[in-house]
Coordinates of all heavy atoms in Angstrom, one line a residue:
M18 N 11.2 26.6 16.6 CA 9.7 26.4 16.6 C 9.3 25.5 17.7 O 10.0 24.5 18.0 CB 9.3 25.8 15.3 CG 7.9 25.5 15.3 SD 7.0 24.8 13.9 CE 8.0 24.6 12.6
D19 N 8.2 25.8 18.4 CA 7.7 25.0 19.5 C 6.9 23.9 18.9 O 5.8 24.1 18.4 CB 6.9 25.9 20.4 CG 6.3 25.2 21.5 OD1 6.6 23.9 21.7 OD2 5.5 25.8 22.3
H20 N 7.4 22.6 19.0 CA 6.7 21.5 18.4 C 5.4 21.1 19.2 O 4.6 20.3 18.8 CB 7.6 20.3 18.3 CG 8.6 20.5 17.2 ND1 8.3 20.5 15.9 CD2 9.9 20.8 17.3 CE1 9.4 20.7 15.2 NE2 10.4 20.9 16.0
T21 N 5.3 21.6 20.4 CA 4.0 21.3 21.2 C 2.8 22.0 20.6 O 1.7 21.5 20.7 CB 4.2 21.6 22.7 OG1 4.5 23.0 22.8 CG2 5.3 20.8 23.3
T22 N 3.1 23.2 20.0 CA 2.0 23.9 19.3 C 1.9 23.7 17.8 O 0.9 23.9 17.2 CB 2.1 25.4 19.6 OG1 3.3 25.9 19.1 CG2 1.9 25.7 21.1
H23 N 3.0 23.2 17.2 CA 3.0 22.9 15.8 C 3.6 21.5 15.6 O 4.8 21.4 15.3 CB 3.9 23.9 15.1 CG 3.4 25.3 15.2 ND1 3.8 26.2 16.1 CD2 2.5 26.0 14.4 CE1 3.2 27.3 16.0 NE2 2.4 27.2 14.9
P24 N 2.8 20.5 15.9 CA 3.3 19.1 15.7 C 3.7 18.8 14.3 O 3.1 19.3 13.4 CB 2.2 18.2 16.2 CG 1.0 19.1 16.0 CD 1.4 20.5 16.2
A25 N 4.7 17.9 14.2 CA 5.1 17.5 12.9 C 4.0 16.6 12.2 O 3.2 16.0 12.9 CB 6.4 16.6 13.0
K26 N 3.9 16.6 10.9 CA 2.9 15.8 10.2 C 3.2 14.3 10.3 O 2.3 13.6 10.4 CB 2.9 16.2 8.7 CG 2.3 17.5 8.5 CD 2.2 17.8 7.0 CE 1.5 19.1 6.7 NZ 1.4 19.4 5.3
H27 N 4.5 13.9 10.4 CA 4.8 12.5 10.5 C 5.0 12.2 11.9 O 5.8 12.8 12.7 CB 6.1 12.2 9.7 CG 6.0 12.5 8.3 ND1 5.3 11.8 7.4 CD2 6.5 13.5 7.5 CE1 5.3 12.3 6.2 NE2 6.1 13.4 6.2
T28 N 4.4 11.1 12.4 CA 4.5 10.7 13.8 C 5.6 9.6 13.9 O 6.1 9.3 15.0 CB 3.2 10.1 14.3 OG1 2.8 9.0 13.4 CG2 2.1 11.2 14.4
D29 N 6.1 9.1 12.8 CA 7.2 8.1 12.8 C 8.5 8.8 13.1 O 8.7 9.9 12.7 CB 7.3 7.4 11.5 CG 6.1 6.6 11.1 OD1 5.3 6.2 12.0 OD2 5.9 6.4 9.9
A30 N 9.3 8.1 13.9 CA 10.6 8.7 14.3 C 11.5 8.9 13.0 O 12.2 9.9 13.0 CB 11.3 7.8 15.3
A31 N 11.5 8.0 12.1 CA 12.3 8.0 10.9 C 11.6 8.6 9.7 O 10.4 8.4 9.6 CB 12.9 6.6 10.6
P32 N 12.3 9.4 8.9 CA 11.6 9.9 7.7 C 11.4 8.7 6.7 O 12.0 7.7 6.8 CB 12.7 10.9 7.1 CG 14.0 10.4 7.7 CD 13.7 9.8 9.0
P33 N 10.5 8.9 5.8 CA 10.2 7.9 4.8 C 11.5 7.5 4.0 O 12.3 8.4 3.7 CB 9.2 8.5 3.8 CG 8.8 9.8 4.4 CD 9.7 10.1 5.5
D34 N 11.7 6.2 3.7 CA 12.9 5.8 3.0 C 12.6 6.0 1.5 O 11.5 6.3 1.0 CB 13.3 4.4 3.3 CG 12.2 3.4 2.9 OD1 11.5 3.6 1.8 OD2 12.1 2.3 3.5
K35 N 13.7 6.0 0.7 CA 13.6 6.3 -0.7 C 12.8 5.3 -1.5 O 12.1 5.7 -2.4 CB 15.1 6.3 -1.3 CG 15.9 7.5 -0.9 CD 17.2 7.4 -1.5 CE 18.1 8.6 -0.9 NZ 19.4 8.6 -1.4
T36 N 12.8 4.0 -1.0 CA 11.9 3.0 -1.7 C 10.5 3.3 -1.6 O 9.7 3.3 -2.5 CB 12.2 1.6 -1.2 OG1 13.6 1.3 -1.4 CG2 11.4 0.6 -1.9
T37 N 10.1 3.7 -0.3 CA 8.7 4.0 -0.1 C 8.2 5.2 -0.9 O 7.2 5.3 -1.5 CB 8.4 4.3 1.4 OG1 8.8 3.1 2.2 CG2 7.0 4.6 1.8
T38 N 9.1 6.2 -0.9 CA 8.8 7.5 -1.6 C 8.7 7.2 -3.1 O 7.8 7.7 -3.8 CB 9.9 8.5 -1.4 OG1 9.9 8.7 0.1 CG2 9.6 9.8 -2.1
R39 N 9.6 6.3 -3.7 CA 9.6 6.0 -5.1 C 8.3 5.2 -5.5 O 7.7 5.5 -6.5 CB 10.9 5.2 -5.4 CG 11.4 5.3 -6.8 CD 12.7 4.6 -7.0 NE 13.1 3.7 -6.1 CZ 14.2 3.7 -5.4 NH1 15.0 4.8 -5.5 NH2 14.6 2.8 -4.5
W40 N 7.9 4.3 -4.6 CA 6.7 3.5 -4.9 C 5.5 4.4 -4.8 O 4.6 4.3 -5.7 CB 6.5 2.4 -3.9 CG 7.1 1.1 -4.4 CD1 8.2 0.5 -4.0 CD2 6.5 0.2 -5.3 NE1 8.4 -0.7 -4.7 CE2 7.3 -0.9 -5.5 CE3 5.3 0.3 -6.1 CZ2 7.0 -1.9 -6.4 CZ3 5.0 -0.7 -7.0 CH2 5.9 -1.8 -7.2
G41 N 5.5 5.3 -3.9 CA 4.4 6.3 -3.7 C 4.2 7.1 -5.0 O 3.1 7.3 -5.5
A42 N 5.3 7.6 -5.5 CA 5.3 8.4 -6.7 C 4.8 7.6 -7.9 O 4.1 8.1 -8.7 CB 6.7 9.0 -7.0
F43 N 5.3 6.4 -8.0 CA 4.9 5.5 -9.1 C 3.4 5.2 -9.0 O 2.7 5.3 -10.0 CB 5.6 4.1 -9.0 CG 5.1 3.1 -9.9 CD1 5.4 3.1 -11.2 CD2 4.2 2.1 -9.3 CE1 4.8 2.1 -12.0 CE2 3.7 1.1 -10.2 CZ 4.0 1.1 -11.5
L44 N 2.8 4.9 -7.8 CA 1.4 4.7 -7.7 C 0.6 5.9 -8.0 O -0.5 5.8 -8.6 CB 1.1 4.2 -6.2 CG 1.7 2.8 -5.9 CD1 1.5 2.5 -4.4 CD2 1.1 1.7 -6.8
K45 N 1.0 7.1 -7.6 CA 0.3 8.3 -7.8 C 0.3 8.6 -9.3 O -0.8 8.9 -9.9 CB 1.1 9.5 -7.2 CG 0.4 10.8 -7.3 CD 1.3 11.8 -6.5 CE 0.6 13.2 -6.4 NZ 1.3 14.1 -5.6
K46 N 1.4 8.4 -10.0 CA 1.4 8.5 -11.5 C 0.5 7.6 -12.2 O -0.3 7.9 -13.1 CB 2.8 8.4 -12.0 CG 3.0 8.6 -13.5 CD 4.4 8.5 -13.9 CE 4.6 8.8 -15.4 NZ 6.0 8.6 -15.8
A47 N 0.4 6.3 -11.7 CA -0.4 5.3 -12.3 C -1.9 5.7 -12.1 O -2.7 5.6 -13.0 CB -0.1 3.9 -11.7
R48 N -2.2 6.1 -10.9 CA -3.6 6.5 -10.6 C -4.0 7.7 -11.5 O -5.1 7.7 -12.1 CB -3.8 6.9 -9.1 CG -5.2 7.4 -8.8 CD -5.2 7.9 -7.3 NE -4.3 8.9 -7.0 CZ -4.3 10.2 -7.3 NH1 -5.3 10.7 -8.1 NH2 -3.4 11.0 -6.9
R49 N -3.2 8.7 -11.5 CA -3.5 9.9 -12.3 C -3.6 9.6 -13.8 O -4.5 10.1 -14.5 CB -2.5 11.0 -12.1 CG -2.6 11.7 -10.8 CD -1.5 12.8 -10.7 NE -1.8 13.6 -9.6 CZ -1.0 14.6 -9.2 NH1 0.1 14.8 -9.8 NH2 -1.3 15.3 -8.1
S50 N -2.8 8.7 -14.3 CA -2.8 8.4 -15.8 C -4.1 7.6 -16.1 O -4.5 7.6 -17.3 CB -1.6 7.5 -16.2 OG -1.7 6.2 -15.7
R51 N -4.8 7.1 -15.1 CA -6.1 6.4 -15.4 C -7.2 7.3 -15.1 O -8.4 6.9 -15.1 CB -6.1 5.1 -14.5 CG -5.3 4.1 -15.2 CD -4.7 3.1 -14.2 NE -3.9 2.1 -14.8 CZ -2.6 2.3 -15.1 NH1 -2.0 3.4 -14.9 NH2 -1.9 1.3 -15.7
G52 N -6.9 8.6 -14.7 CA -8.0 9.5 -14.5 C -8.8 9.3 -13.2 O -9.9 9.7 -13.1
M53 N -8.2 8.6 -12.2 CA -8.9 8.3 -11.0 C -8.4 9.3 -9.9 O -7.2 9.5 -9.8 CB -8.6 6.9 -10.6 CG -9.4 6.4 -9.4 SD -9.1 4.7 -9.0 CE -10.4 3.9 -10.0
S54 N -9.3 9.8 -9.1 CA -9.0 10.7 -8.0 C -8.6 9.8 -6.8 O -9.0 8.6 -6.7 CB -10.2 11.5 -7.6 OG -11.3 10.8 -7.1
Q55 N -8.0 10.4 -5.8 CA -7.6 9.8 -4.6 C -8.9 9.3 -3.9 O -9.0 8.2 -3.3 CB -6.8 10.7 -3.6 CG -5.4 10.8 -4.0 CD -4.6 11.7 -3.0 OE1 -5.2 12.3 -2.2 NE2 -3.3 11.6 -3.1
R56 N -9.9 10.2 -3.9 CA -11.2 9.9 -3.3 C -11.9 8.7 -3.9 O -12.4 7.8 -3.2 CB -12.1 11.1 -3.3 CG -13.4 11.0 -2.5 CD -14.2 12.3 -2.5 NE -13.4 13.5 -2.3 CZ -13.2 14.1 -1.1 NH1 -13.8 13.5 0.0 NH2 -12.4 15.1 -0.9
A57 N -11.9 8.6 -5.2 CA -12.5 7.4 -5.9 C -11.8 6.2 -5.6 O -12.4 5.1 -5.3 CB -12.6 7.7 -7.4
L58 N -10.5 6.2 -5.6 CA -9.7 5.0 -5.2 C -9.9 4.6 -3.8 O -10.0 3.4 -3.5 CB -8.2 5.3 -5.5 CG -7.2 4.1 -5.2 CD1 -7.6 2.9 -6.1 CD2 -5.8 4.6 -5.5
A59 N -9.9 5.6 -2.9 CA -10.1 5.3 -1.5 C -11.5 4.6 -1.3 O -11.6 3.6 -0.5 CB -10.1 6.6 -0.7
R60 N -12.5 5.1 -2.0 CA -13.9 4.4 -1.9 C -13.8 3.0 -2.4 O -14.3 2.1 -1.7 CB -14.9 5.2 -2.8 CG -15.7 6.2 -2.0 CD -16.9 6.6 -2.8 NE -16.6 7.1 -4.2 CZ -16.2 8.3 -4.5 NH1 -16.2 9.3 -3.6 NH2 -16.0 8.6 -5.8
E61 N -13.1 2.8 -3.5 CA -13.0 1.4 -4.0 C -12.2 0.5 -3.0 O -12.6 -0.7 -2.9 CB -12.3 1.4 -5.4 CG -12.3 0.1 -6.0 CD -12.2 0.1 -7.5 OE1 -12.5 1.2 -8.1 OE2 -11.7 -0.9 -8.0
L62 N -11.2 1.0 -2.4 CA -10.4 0.2 -1.5 C -11.0 0.1 0.0 O -10.6 -0.7 0.8 CB -9.0 0.7 -1.4 CG -8.2 0.7 -2.7 CD1 -6.8 1.2 -2.5 CD2 -8.2 -0.7 -3.3
G63 N -12.0 1.0 0.3 CA -12.6 1.0 1.6 C -11.6 1.6 2.6 O -11.6 1.2 3.8
V64 N -10.8 2.6 2.2 CA -10.0 3.3 3.1 C -10.2 4.8 2.9 O -11.0 5.2 2.1 CB -8.5 3.0 2.8 CG1 -8.2 1.5 2.9 CG2 -8.1 3.5 1.4
S65 N -9.6 5.6 3.8 CA -9.8 7.1 3.7 C -8.9 7.7 2.5 O -7.9 7.1 2.2 CB -9.4 7.7 5.0 OG -8.0 7.6 5.2
Q66 N -9.3 8.8 2.1 CA -8.6 9.5 1.1 C -7.2 9.9 1.7 O -6.2 9.9 1.0 CB -9.3 10.8 0.6 CG -8.6 11.6 -0.4 CD -7.7 12.7 0.2 OE1 -8.0 13.2 1.3 NE2 -6.6 13.0 -0.4
A67 N -7.2 10.2 3.0 CA -5.9 10.5 3.7 C -4.9 9.4 3.6 O -3.7 9.6 3.5 CB -6.2 10.9 5.1
R68 N -5.5 8.1 3.7 CA -4.6 7.0 3.6 C -3.9 6.9 2.2 O -2.8 6.6 2.1 CB -5.4 5.7 3.9 CG -4.6 4.4 3.8 CD -3.7 4.2 5.0 NE -3.1 2.9 4.9 CZ -1.7 2.7 4.8 NH1 -0.9 3.7 4.8 NH2 -1.3 1.5 4.7
I69 N -4.7 7.1 1.2 CA -4.2 7.1 -0.2 C -3.1 8.2 -0.3 O -2.0 7.9 -0.9 CB -5.3 7.3 -1.2 CG1 -6.3 6.2 -1.2 CG2 -4.7 7.5 -2.6 CD1 -5.8 4.8 -1.5
A70 N -3.3 9.4 0.2 CA -2.3 10.4 0.2 C -1.1 10.0 0.9 O 0.0 10.3 0.4 CB -2.9 11.7 0.8
Q71 N -1.2 9.4 2.1 CA 0.0 8.9 2.8 C 0.8 8.0 2.0 O 2.1 8.1 2.0 CB -0.4 8.3 4.1 CG -1.0 9.2 5.2 CD -1.6 8.4 6.4 OE1 -1.9 7.3 6.3 NE2 -1.7 9.1 7.5
I72 N 0.2 7.0 1.4 CA 0.9 6.0 0.5 C 1.6 6.7 -0.6 O 2.8 6.5 -0.9 CB -0.1 5.0 0.0 CG1 -0.6 4.1 1.2 CG2 0.6 4.1 -1.1 CD1 -1.8 3.2 0.8
E73 N 0.9 7.6 -1.3 CA 1.4 8.3 -2.5 C 2.6 9.3 -2.1 O 3.5 9.5 -2.9 CB 0.3 9.0 -3.3 CG -0.6 8.0 -3.9 CD -1.7 8.7 -4.8 OE1 -1.8 9.9 -4.7 OE2 -2.4 8.0 -5.4
N74 N 2.5 9.8 -1.0 CA 3.5 10.8 -0.5 C 4.7 10.1 0.2 O 5.6 10.8 0.6 CB 2.9 11.9 0.4 CG 1.9 12.7 -0.4 OD1 2.1 13.0 -1.6 ND2 0.9 13.2 0.3
G75 N 4.6 8.8 0.3 CA 5.7 8.1 1.0 C 5.7 8.2 2.5 O 6.7 7.9 3.1
A76 N 4.6 8.7 3.1 CA 4.6 8.9 4.5 C 4.2 7.6 5.2 O 4.3 7.5 6.4 CB 3.5 10.0 4.9
S77 N 3.8 6.6 4.4 CA 3.4 5.4 5.0 C 3.7 4.2 4.1 O 3.6 4.4 2.8 CB 1.8 5.4 5.2 OG 1.4 4.2 5.7
T78 N 4.2 3.2 4.6 CA 4.5 2.0 3.8 C 3.3 1.0 3.9 O 3.0 0.5 4.9 CB 5.8 1.3 4.3 OG1 6.8 2.2 4.4 CG2 6.2 0.1 3.4
P79 N 2.7 0.8 2.8 CA 1.5 -0.1 2.8 C 1.9 -1.5 2.9 O 3.0 -1.9 2.5 CB 0.8 0.2 1.5 CG 1.9 0.6 0.6 CD 2.9 1.4 1.4
Q80 N 1.0 -2.3 3.6 CA 1.2 -3.8 3.6 C 1.0 -4.3 2.3 O 0.4 -3.7 1.4 CB 0.3 -4.4 4.7 CG 0.6 -4.0 6.1 CD -0.2 -4.7 7.1 OE1 -1.2 -5.4 6.8 NE2 0.1 -4.5 8.4
I81 N 1.5 -5.5 2.0 CA 1.4 -6.1 0.7 C 0.0 -6.3 0.2 O -0.3 -6.1 -1.0 CB 2.2 -7.5 0.7 CG1 2.5 -7.9 -0.8 CG2 1.5 -8.6 1.4 CD1 3.5 -7.1 -1.5
D82 N -0.9 -6.6 1.1 CA -2.3 -6.8 0.6 C -2.9 -5.4 0.2 O -3.7 -5.4 -0.7 CB -3.2 -7.5 1.7 CG -3.2 -6.8 3.0 OD1 -2.3 -6.0 3.3 OD2 -4.2 -7.0 3.7
T83 N -2.5 -4.4 0.9 CA -3.0 -3.0 0.5 C -2.4 -2.6 -0.8 O -3.1 -2.1 -1.7 CB -2.6 -2.0 1.6 OG1 -3.2 -2.4 2.8 CG2 -3.1 -0.6 1.2
M84 N -1.1 -2.9 -1.0 CA -0.4 -2.6 -2.3 C -1.1 -3.4 -3.4 O -1.4 -2.8 -4.5 CB 1.0 -3.0 -2.2 CG 1.8 -2.7 -3.4 SD 2.2 -0.9 -3.6 CE 3.6 -0.7 -2.6
A85 N -1.4 -4.6 -3.2 CA -2.0 -5.5 -4.2 C -3.4 -4.9 -4.6 O -3.8 -4.8 -5.7 CB -2.1 -6.9 -3.8
A86 N -4.2 -4.6 -3.6 CA -5.5 -4.0 -3.8 C -5.4 -2.7 -4.6 O -6.2 -2.5 -5.5 CB -6.3 -3.8 -2.5
Y87 N -4.5 -1.8 -4.2 CA -4.3 -0.6 -4.9 C -4.0 -0.8 -6.4 O -4.7 -0.2 -7.2 CB -3.1 0.2 -4.2 CG -2.9 1.6 -4.6 CD1 -3.0 2.6 -3.7 CD2 -2.6 1.9 -5.9 CE1 -2.8 3.9 -4.0 CE2 -2.3 3.3 -6.3 CZ -2.5 4.3 -5.3 OH -2.2 5.6 -5.7
I88 N -3.1 -1.6 -6.7 CA -2.6 -1.9 -8.0 C -3.8 -2.6 -8.8 O -4.0 -2.3 -10.0 CB -1.3 -2.7 -8.0 CG1 -0.2 -1.8 -7.5 CG2 -1.0 -3.3 -9.4 CD1 1.1 -2.5 -7.2
T89 N -4.4 -3.5 -8.2 CA -5.6 -4.2 -8.8 C -6.7 -3.3 -9.2 O -7.3 -3.3 -10.2 CB -6.1 -5.4 -7.9 OG1 -5.0 -6.3 -7.7 CG2 -7.2 -6.1 -8.6
A90 N -7.0 -2.3 -8.3 CA -8.0 -1.3 -8.5 C -7.7 -0.4 -9.7 O -8.6 0.1 -10.3 CB -8.2 -0.5 -7.2
L91 N -6.4 -0.3 -10.0 CA -6.0 0.5 -11.2 C -5.9 -0.4 -12.4 O -5.5 0.1 -13.5 CB -4.7 1.2 -10.9 CG -4.7 2.2 -9.8 CD1 -3.4 2.8 -9.6 CD2 -5.7 3.3 -10.1
G92 N -6.3 -1.6 -12.3 CA -6.3 -2.5 -13.5 C -5.0 -3.2 -13.7 O -4.8 -3.9 -14.7
G93 N -4.1 -3.2 -12.8 CA -2.8 -3.8 -12.9 C -2.8 -5.1 -12.1 O -3.8 -5.5 -11.5
E94 N -1.6 -5.7 -12.1 CA -1.4 -6.9 -11.2 C 0.0 -6.7 -10.5 O 0.9 -6.1 -11.1 CB -1.5 -8.2 -12.0 CG -0.4 -8.4 -13.0 CD -0.6 -9.8 -13.7 OE1 -1.7 -10.2 -14.0 OE2 0.5 -10.4 -14.0
L95 N 0.1 -7.3 -9.3 CA 1.3 -7.2 -8.6 C 1.9 -8.6 -8.5 O 1.1 -9.5 -8.1 CB 1.0 -6.7 -7.1 CG 2.2 -6.6 -6.2 CD1 3.3 -5.7 -6.6 CD2 1.7 -6.3 -4.8
T96 N 3.1 -8.8 -8.8 CA 3.8 -10.0 -8.6 C 4.9 -9.9 -7.6 O 5.7 -9.0 -7.7 CB 4.4 -10.5 -10.0 OG1 3.3 -10.6 -10.9 CG2 5.1 -11.8 -9.8
L97 N 4.9 -10.8 -6.6 CA 5.9 -10.8 -5.6 C 6.7 -12.1 -5.8 O 6.2 -13.2 -5.9 CB 5.3 -10.8 -4.2 CG 6.2 -10.9 -3.0 CD1 7.0 -9.6 -2.9 CD2 5.4 -11.1 -1.7
R98 N 8.0 -11.9 -5.9 CA 8.9 -13.0 -6.2 C 10.0 -13.1 -5.2 O 10.7 -12.1 -4.9 CB 9.6 -12.8 -7.6 CG 10.5 -13.9 -8.0 CD 11.0 -13.6 -9.5 NE 11.8 -14.7 -9.9 CZ 13.1 -14.7 -10.0 NH1 13.7 -13.6 -9.8 NH2 13.8 -15.7 -10.5
A99 N 10.2 -14.2 -4.6 CA 11.2 -14.5 -3.6 C 12.2 -15.5 -4.2 O 11.8 -16.6 -4.5 CB 10.7 -15.0 -2.3
D100 N 13.5 -15.1 -4.3 CA 14.5 -15.9 -4.9 C 15.5 -16.3 -3.8 O 16.2 -15.5 -3.2 CB 15.3 -15.2 -6.0 CG 16.3 -16.0 -6.7 OD1 16.7 -17.1 -6.2 OD2 16.7 -15.6 -7.8
F101 N 15.5 -17.6 -3.5 CA 16.3 -18.2 -2.4 C 17.6 -18.9 -3.0 O 18.2 -19.7 -2.3 CB 15.5 -19.1 -1.5 CG 14.4 -18.5 -0.8 CD1 13.1 -18.5 -1.3 CD2 14.7 -17.8 0.4 CE1 12.1 -17.9 -0.6 CE2 13.7 -17.2 1.1 CZ 12.4 -17.2 0.6
H102 N 17.9 -18.6 -4.2 CA 19.0 -19.2 -5.0 C 18.8 -20.7 -5.2 O 19.2 -21.1 -6.3 CB 20.3 -18.9 -4.3 CG 20.6 -17.4 -4.1 ND1 20.8 -16.6 -5.1 CD2 20.5 -16.7 -3.0 CE1 20.9 -15.3 -4.7 NE2 20.8 -15.4 -3.4
D103 N 18.3 -21.5 -4.3 CA 18.1 -22.9 -4.6 C 16.6 -23.1 -5.0 O 16.3 -24.2 -5.5 CB 18.4 -23.8 -3.4 CG 17.6 -23.4 -2.1 OD1 17.1 -22.3 -2.0 OD2 17.5 -24.3 -1.2
H104 N 15.8 -22.1 -4.8 CA 14.4 -22.2 -5.3 C 13.8 -20.8 -5.3 O 14.2 -19.9 -4.6 CB 13.5 -23.2 -4.6 CG 13.2 -22.8 -3.2 ND1 14.0 -22.9 -2.1 CD2 12.1 -22.2 -2.7 CE1 13.4 -22.4 -1.0 NE2 12.3 -22.0 -1.3
V105 N 12.8 -20.6 -6.2 CA 12.1 -19.4 -6.3 C 10.6 -19.6 -6.1 O 10.1 -20.6 -6.5 CB 12.3 -18.8 -7.7 CG1 11.5 -17.5 -8.0 CG2 13.8 -18.5 -7.9
T106 N 10.0 -18.7 -5.4 CA 8.5 -18.7 -5.3 C 7.9 -17.4 -5.7 O 8.6 -16.4 -5.6 CB 8.1 -19.1 -3.8 OG1 6.7 -19.3 -3.8 CG2 8.5 -18.0 -2.8
Q107 N 6.7 -17.5 -6.3 CA 6.2 -16.3 -6.8 C 4.7 -16.3 -6.6 O 4.0 -17.3 -6.7 CB 6.5 -16.2 -8.3 CG 5.9 -15.0 -9.0 CD 6.5 -15.0 -10.4 OE1 7.7 -14.9 -10.6 NE2 5.6 -14.9 -11.4
T108 N 4.1 -15.1 -6.2 CA 2.7 -14.9 -6.1 C 2.2 -13.7 -6.8 O 2.9 -12.7 -6.8 CB 2.3 -14.7 -4.6 OG1 2.8 -15.9 -3.8 CG2 0.9 -14.6 -4.3
T109 N 1.1 -13.8 -7.5 CA 0.6 -12.7 -8.2 C -0.8 -12.3 -7.7 O -1.6 -13.2 -7.4 CB 0.5 -13.0 -9.7 OG1 1.8 -13.3 -10.2 CG2 0.0 -11.9 -10.6
W110 N -1.1 -11.0 -7.6 CA -2.5 -10.5 -7.3 C -3.0 -9.8 -8.5 O -2.2 -9.0 -9.1 CB -2.4 -9.6 -6.1 CG -2.1 -10.2 -4.8 CD1 -3.0 -10.7 -3.9 CD2 -0.8 -10.4 -4.3 NE1 -2.3 -11.2 -2.8 CE2 -1.0 -11.0 -3.0 CE3 0.5 -10.1 -4.7 CZ2 0.1 -11.3 -2.2 CZ3 1.5 -10.4 -3.9 CH2 1.4 -11.0 -2.7
P111 N -4.2 -9.8 -8.9 CA -5.2 -10.8 -8.4 C -4.7 -12.2 -8.8 O -4.0 -12.4 -9.8 CB -6.5 -10.4 -9.1 CG -6.1 -9.7 -10.3 CD -4.8 -9.0 -10.0
E112 N -5.2 -13.2 -8.0 CA -4.8 -14.6 -8.3 C -5.1 -15.0 -9.7 O -6.2 -14.7 -10.2 CB -5.6 -15.5 -7.3 CG -4.9 -15.7 -6.0 CD -5.6 -16.8 -5.2 OE1 -5.6 -17.9 -5.7 OE2 -6.0 -16.4 -4.1
Q113 N -4.1 -15.7 -10.3 CA -4.3 -16.2 -11.6 C -4.9 -17.6 -11.5 O -4.3 -18.4 -10.8 CB -3.0 -16.2 -12.4 CG -2.3 -14.9 -12.5 CD -3.1 -13.9 -13.3 OE1 -3.6 -14.2 -14.3 NE2 -3.3 -12.7 -12.7
H114 N -5.9 -17.9 -12.2 CA -6.5 -19.2 -12.2 C -6.0 -20.0 -13.4 O -6.1 -19.5 -14.5 CB -8.0 -19.1 -12.2 CG -8.6 -18.5 -11.0 ND1 -8.6 -19.0 -9.7 CD2 -9.1 -17.2 -10.8 CE1 -9.1 -18.2 -8.8 NE2 -9.4 -17.1 -9.5
P115 N -5.4 -21.1 -13.1 CA -4.8 -21.9 -14.3 C -5.9 -22.3 -15.2 O -7.0 -22.6 -14.8 CB -4.2 -23.1 -13.6 CG -4.6 -23.1 -12.2 CD -5.2 -21.8 -11.9
T116 N -5.6 -22.2 -16.5 CA -6.6 -22.7 -17.5 C -6.3 -24.1 -17.8 O -5.2 -24.6 -17.8 CB -6.4 -21.9 -18.8 OG1 -5.1 -22.0 -19.3 CG2 -6.8 -20.4 -18.6
E117 N -7.4 -24.9 -18.1 CA -7.2 -26.3 -18.4 C -6.9 -26.4 -19.9 O -7.4 -25.7 -20.7 CB -8.5 -27.0 -18.1 CG -8.8 -27.1 -16.6 CD -10.1 -27.9 -16.3 OE1 -10.3 -28.8 -17.0 OE2 -10.7 -27.5 -15.3
S118 N -6.0 -27.3 -20.2 CA -5.6 -27.5 -21.6 C -6.2 -28.8 -22.1 O -6.7 -29.6 -21.5 CB -4.1 -27.5 -21.7 OG -3.5 -28.4 -20.8

């Protein structure tokens, strides 16, 4: 096939990795289970529907803030935990505000 007349859909040199594809499938399932369309989610996030499709199909790895916004828009929360063996740090989106006791 002549790729000059039929360009590949992916412009990245490497195919999507398994983790990106797995996350995309998870996010797609979560969106669908909430009855939300790609278009509605894209409007809420201020991105194109094509961007949502890229994330869900594993064609693109979203940055952490995009991932947090995606999950938050579906009513979930994202927790990022870094374990350095001598200490652990954790961040959750949306931000949890401590309650006063």
Side-chain angles (χ1 to χ4, degrees):
M18 174 179 356
D19 179 4
H20 290 287
T21 59
T22 57
H23 297 94
K26 287 185 179 182
H27 300 288
T28 57
D29 298 335
D34 65 31
K35 289 180 183 177
T36 301
T37 301
T38 303
R39 211 174 14 242
W40 265 105
F43 169 79
L44 293 171
K45 183 177 189 175
K46 184 176 180 181
R48 176 185 54 75
R49 285 182 168 175
S50 73
R51 284 153 182 81
M53 185 177 272
S54 69
Q55 285 184 345
R56 189 175 311 267
L58 181 59
R60 260 193 313 272
E61 186 157 336
L62 297 182
V64 300
S65 69
Q66 179 271 328
R68 177 73 174 119
I69 298 299
Q71 289 172 339
I72 292 168
E73 291 183 354
N74 293 327
S77 176
T78 305
Q80 292 185 354
I81 195 73
D82 59 335
T83 302
M84 181 75 81
Y87 189 118
I88 291 169
T89 301
L91 295 177
E94 67 180 39
L95 175 66
T96 301
L97 179 66
R98 180 174 185 255
D100 186 342
F101 295 97
H102 303 291
D103 60 339
H104 70 279
V105 173
T106 187
Q107 181 171 302
T108 302
T109 300
W110 291 269
E112 274 188 56
Q113 303 296 314
H114 298 287
T116 56
E117 294 183 32
S118 51

